[in-house]
Amino acid sequence: MSSSLNHPPTIADVAYKAGVSIATVSRVLTGSCPVLPETAESVRAAIAELKYVPRAAARVLASHRTNTIGLLMPDIGGAFFTPMLRGVEAGAREEGFDLLIHTTQSKPFDNLQRKPLGEHNTDGLLVLRDSIDEEEIRRLYAAGFPLVLIYDSPPENVGIPFVEIENKSSTQKLVEHLIDIHARKRIVFLGGPTGADPREEGYREALQGRDIPIDSSLMIKGEIDENPAARAIHHWLMGKTEFDAVFTGDDQVASGVLHALQEAGKRVPEDVSVVGFNDAPFSQYLIPPLTTIHVPDEQVGLEAVRQLTLLIRNGHADDKVLLPAELVIRQSCGCQPEHPHTFPPQLQSRS
Amino acid sequence: MSSSLNHPPTIADVAYKAGVSIATVSRVLTGSCPVLPETAESVRAAIAELKYVPRAAARVLASHRTNTIGLLMPDIGGAFFTPMLRGVEAGAREEGFDLLIHTTQSKPFDNLQRKPLGEHNTDGLLVLRDSIDEEEIRRLYAAGFPLVLIYDSPPENVGIPFVEIENKSSTQKLVEHLIDIHARKRIVFLGGPTGADPREEGYREALQGRDIPIDSSLMIKGEIDENPAARAIHHWLMGKTEFDAVFTGDDQVASGVLHALQEAGKRVPEDVSVVGFNDAPFSQYLIPPLTTIHVPDEQVGLEAVRQLTLLIRNGHADDKVLLPAELVIRQSCGCQPEHPHTFPPQLQSRS
DNA sequence: CTGAAAGCGCTTACAG
DNA sequence: CTGAAAGCGCTTACAG
């Protein structure tokens, strides 16, 4: 049998078996041109019989499309990571793209080295905040390479689509909750990581809308860590700075604040309300359980892929996509539990 | 300037600029053959000047190596996932391979469809437990395709290397801890997910080594879920089956058991010791904090990549790699806390 | 050590 | 609707 091969079948084997040219096989594969139904059928039969799978590299080389998107991250980790990756993976499959992933890991993105991800092996890139520096982003953008930013907005004058959550309105709602429901008036603002400006806006508008004066001595902006936050709290308590609530840009920071307050003999939430951001897995176990904001990470990943494929296929996408985030009211703000605390926690099992 | 191009530079552009043939450029790129130092230098200069990056697809097609490994998973999630992926990613980069990831997501692996991951786009595959069925594994193995299994052993008579943890010895140690330190004698064995046989062995040897008779009415093997576990506990309590400890194959199940016992008025650990497996993130927050076994997921991922690249490059790897898992003694077994419980928890921050 | 040339396995105008 | 042929951008024997 001439078609019994000891090497993986190629398009030529299929063509031979189906009695057509390789061009015709290619057409039924890509669906690019009409093919007579009966011809197509015999080609499909040959493909099935030979268990033919087109070599990806050959298609890429000939078609100038890699059919692959890349995901560039600063590292693998963080509570948001798993759901976001799930969204990205689902989106990529949905859109028929392969997914190549790489971390940049604090090494400066070296142009001279062979780059792990770029024009040479992907059709477009999903770029997480802090993966690569502004210069590299500008370079890729200038080269016309499809890019979508995640949890970050692009540098000035750079029209790269990005996917973020509604930082401003969710912060505003949460701060308004503290004011309206718990009668808080001296609310500390402990910024959060980069890109937190919209949160500051939300904070300001919440206060302004309630005629509460903004006291900038209560605000620490920009990147903040768990320990500095705790130190700041201590410092204020020593200095008799008065406050009755703390808004925090990250649950991790909130847990540090909780700790510092409790160590100083303050009761949460009776004396001070504390609220976080991101709804980390551990937040429900803090004492008291943390009121925070839940971020739709999976949606973010999915939407980022959608925008990127739009960009790849049509050359343009939405300038920005803002996904709504949801208030998660627990007890650290002062609310009472709706249901008695129950075990076991409903978490995802390992297996 | 003839070398100022409006398209991405190719190897021909580099060759022209350096005044050599493309073969020579290729040689300095791959390092396959010796090249005169000065020739190599001028080639490197041309590469740098043109910002040349070799097209991945062309290399793959010409060299018959994709330089890519694939990771096939049933889904994205589980506590082990993030550290394991970190290990896989680090390993892939270390070994100079790209990483393509895909989930199979319960859809039967359809041979007629274009497969997402396989011989056509990777040099080898990392296969997580429950990603693909035995038949597909056998097929790939028979085709001589490099494969490494993670958290799973291969079907019978199939010599695929696999990376697992020391289930048997860690189970044995944990059960011995219950016996030796806490004087437990009636220890329930709540198997765990597939592949738990070595754990059963560990359990049996622990009892046998202490001359405690094995009571099979205390053992539930195989896949077990949180709720069935709780029901079994209730059932036993109602039926007056006596037991003073519960070994559980997963922390999630352990939390269900904890709940069931406490609901029935039993005190843990005073009346019954409960221990888990996997050291899930929430386990330290359970009341009492759960004694369990920590699994080196990152190491597992790293080691799996190492074995796979050995297989790809040398044609063989270790038959199996068993990584040690570590006892995490907390309070649900009956031990006292070494340090007072402190906040904040040291968890990974979102940002 | 280096170059000319074949070939990897596809896609895609170009004819017909 | 279909085929012959060029070409994608590399690597790798084969000569020299």
Side-chain angles (χ1 to χ4, degrees):
Chain A
M1 310 181 344
S2 57
S3 61
S4 168
L5 311 153
N6 55 6
H7 65 87
T10 70
I11 195 170
D13 300 319
V14 175
Y16 178 84
K17 165 150 263 171
V20 298
S21 71
I22 64 168
T24 297
V25 176
S26 178
R27 283 176 192 121
V28 350
L29 244 29
T30 61
S32 54
C33 303
V35 174
L36 271 186
E38 53 221 71
T39 312
E41 199 38 62
S42 76
V43 169
R44 266 189 282 272
I47 289 175
E49 202 168 328
L50 295 173
K51 295 181 196 298
Y52 166 69
V53 181
R55 219 71 76 254
R59 307 190 83 160
V60 169
L61 194 58
S63 68
H64 305 281
R65 278 177 272 105
T66 67
N67 231 278
T68 300
I69 60 175
L71 174 62
L72 209 50
M73 314 174 281
D75 54 34
I76 290 177
F80 73 96
F81 172 72
T82 298
M84 190 215 62
L85 182 59
R86 182 184 287 127
V88 169
E89 207 273 341
R93 181 150 21 125
E94 208 170 80
E95 303 284 353
F97 280 76
D98 281 341
L99 176 63
L100 219 43
I101 81 174
H102 265 283
T103 61
T104 47
Q105 301 218 129
S106 78
K107 286 168 201 151
F109 207 73
D110 190 344
N111 277 323
L112 299 182
Q113 303 278 90
R114 183 169 310 156
K115 283 181 295 185
L117 243 35
E119 300 100 318
H120 62 296
N121 58 359
T122 58
D123 292 339
L125 242 41
L126 257 23
V127 180
L128 243 85
R129 186 176 61 203
D130 301 327
S131 305
I132 52 178
D133 57 29
E134 187 179 316
E135 199 180 345
E136 179 66 12
I137 290 179
R138 285 185 186 277
R139 195 191 70 73
L140 288 165
Y141 176 71
F145 190 62
L147 238 49
V148 168
L149 268 32
I150 298 183
Y151 295 132
D152 199 9
S153 47
E156 272 186 60
N157 304 319
V158 174
I160 302 175
F162 67 101
V163 179
E164 244 289 27
I165 58 152
E166 282 184 352
N167 279 301
K168 181 185 160 187
S169 67
S170 49
T171 301
Q172 184 169 349
K173 272 185 227 155
L174 185 50
V175 174
E176 286 172 356
H177 174 87
L178 292 173
I179 301 170
D180 297 345
I181 308 294
H182 303 295
R184 304 301 181 180
K185 288 195 156 43
R186 301 274 302 162
I187 304 174
V188 169
F189 178 84
L190 243 40
T194 50
D197 277 355
R199 298 188 188 173
E200 188 182 325
E201 276 183 57
Y203 170 84
R204 288 180 180 276
E205 290 197 12
L207 297 203
Q208 281 162 357
R210 267 67 182 171
D211 290 324
I212 297 174
I214 288 175
D215 181 348
S216 62
S217 75
L218 252 31
M219 300 177 71
I220 300 185
K221 300 171 199 174
E223 203 79 38
I224 198 162
D225 217 332
E226 188 182 330
N227 293 328
R231 274 200 296 278
I233 293 292
H234 273 301
H235 182 75
W236 280 335
L237 290 173
M238 307 285 279
K240 312 270 189 237
T241 298
E242 292 198 21
F243 57 91
D244 52 20
V246 181
F247 166 89
T248 263
D250 188 276
D251 283 5
Q252 185 67 21
V253 179
S255 84
V257 168
L258 221 50
H259 181 56
L261 286 169
Q262 289 171 155
E263 222 171 38
K266 293 285 179 189
R267 293 170 306 161
V268 177
E270 291 82 351
D271 301 328
V272 180
S273 296
V274 173
V275 298
F277 211 109
N278 293 337
D279 193 21
F282 63 84
S283 298
Q284 57 181 311
Y285 302 109
L286 293 176
I287 302 175
L290 191 67
T291 289
T292 183
I293 287 169
H294 185 80
V295 176
D297 296 300
E298 183 163 350
Q299 282 290 340
V300 168
L302 200 63
E303 194 54 45
V305 173
R306 290 223 181 96
Q307 295 300 323
L308 184 58
T309 54
L310 278 176
L311 202 54
I312 291 170
R313 293 202 251 250
N314 310 338
H316 54 85
D318 299 341
D319 288 344
K320 67 174 175 179
V321 176
L322 249 41
L323 263 24
E326 189 188 335
L327 251 64
V328 180
I329 302 294
R330 289 196 274 249
Q331 285 96 71
S332 66
C333 57
C335 284
Q336 293 302 313
E338 281 191 48
H339 311 285
H341 193 55
T342 57
F343 283 92
Q346 296 304 320
L347 291 175
Q348 190 160 25
S349 155
R350 174 190 181 84
S351 43
Chain B
M1 313 184 336
S2 58
S3 62
S4 168
L5 311 154
N6 54 7
H7 66 87
T10 69
I11 196 171
D13 299 319
V14 175
Y16 177 85
K17 165 151 261 169
V20 297
S21 72
I22 63 168
T24 298
V25 176
S26 178
R27 283 175 194 122
V28 351
L29 244 28
T30 61
S32 53
C33 304
V35 173
L36 271 186
E38 52 222 70
T39 312
E41 200 36 63
S42 76
V43 169
R44 266 189 282 272
I47 288 174
E49 201 169 329
L50 295 173
K51 295 180 197 297
Y52 166 70
V53 180
R55 220 70 77 251
R59 308 190 83 161
V60 170
L61 195 58
S63 68
H64 304 282
R65 278 178 272 104
T66 66
N67 232 276
T68 300
I69 60 174
L71 174 62
L72 208 49
M73 315 174 279
D75 54 35
I76 291 177
F80 73 97
F81 173 72
T82 298
M84 190 216 61
L85 181 60
R86 182 184 288 126
V88 168
E89 206 273 340
R93 183 149 21 122
E94 208 170 81
E95 303 285 351
F97 280 77
D98 280 342
L99 176 63
L100 218 42
I101 81 173
H102 265 283
T103 61
T104 47
Q105 301 218 129
S106 77
K107 285 169 200 149
F109 207 73
D110 190 345
N111 276 323
L112 300 182
Q113 302 279 90
R114 183 170 310 156
K115 283 182 295 184
L117 242 36
E119 299 99 318
H120 62 296
N121 59 359
T122 58
D123 292 339
L125 240 42
L126 257 24
V127 180
L128 243 86
R129 185 176 62 204
D130 302 327
S131 304
I132 53 178
D133 56 30
E134 186 178 317
E135 199 180 346
E136 179 67 11
I137 290 179
R138 284 185 186 277
R139 195 190 71 72
L140 289 164
Y141 176 71
F145 190 63
L147 239 48
V148 168
L149 267 31
I150 299 184
Y151 294 132
D152 199 8
S153 49
E156 273 185 59
N157 303 320
V158 174
I160 303 175
F162 67 101
V163 180
E164 245 289 27
I165 58 152
E166 282 183 352
N167 278 301
K168 181 185 161 188
S169 67
S170 49
T171 300
Q172 183 169 350
K173 272 185 228 156
L174 185 50
V175 173
E176 287 171 356
H177 174 88
L178 292 173
I179 301 171
D180 296 345
I181 308 295
H182 303 295
R184 302 304 181 179
K185 288 195 157 42
R186 301 273 304 160
I187 304 174
V188 169
F189 178 83
L190 244 39
T194 50
D197 276 357
R199 298 189 188 173
E200 188 183 326
E201 275 183 59
Y203 170 84
R204 287 180 182 277
E205 290 198 12
L207 297 204
Q208 281 161 359
R210 267 70 181 169
D211 290 324
I212 297 175
I214 288 176
D215 180 349
S216 62
S217 74
L218 251 32
M219 300 177 70
I220 300 185
K221 300 171 198 175
E223 202 79 39
I224 197 161
D225 217 332
E226 189 182 330
N227 293 328
R231 273 200 296 278
I233 293 292
H234 272 302
H235 182 74
W236 282 335
L237 291 173
M238 306 287 278
K240 312 270 187 241
T241 299
E242 290 198 22
F243 58 92
D244 52 19
V246 181
F247 166 88
T248 262
D250 188 276
D251 283 6
Q252 185 67 22
V253 178
S255 84
V257 167
L258 221 50
H259 182 55
L261 286 169
Q262 289 171 154
E263 224 172 36
K266 293 284 179 192
R267 292 170 307 161
V268 177
E270 292 83 351
D271 301 328
V272 181
S273 295
V274 174
V275 298
F277 211 109
N278 293 337
D279 193 22
F282 63 85
S283 298
Q284 58 181 310
Y285 301 110
L286 293 176
I287 302 174
L290 190 67
T291 288
T292 182
I293 287 169
H294 185 80
V295 175
D297 297 300
E298 184 163 350
Q299 283 291 340
V300 168
L302 201 63
E303 196 52 46
V305 173
R306 290 221 182 98
Q307 295 301 323
L308 184 58
T309 53
L310 278 177
L311 203 53
I312 291 170
R313 294 201 251 249
N314 309 338
H316 55 86
D318 299 341
D319 288 343
K320 67 176 176 178
V321 177
L322 249 41
L323 263 23
E326 189 188 335
L327 252 64
V328 180
I329 301 295
R330 289 196 274 249
Q331 285 96 70
S332 66
C333 57
C335 284
Q336 294 301 313
E338 280 191 49
H339 310 286
H341 193 56
T342 57
F343 283 92
Q346 295 305 320
L347 291 175
Q348 191 160 27
S349 155
R350 174 191 181 83
S351 43

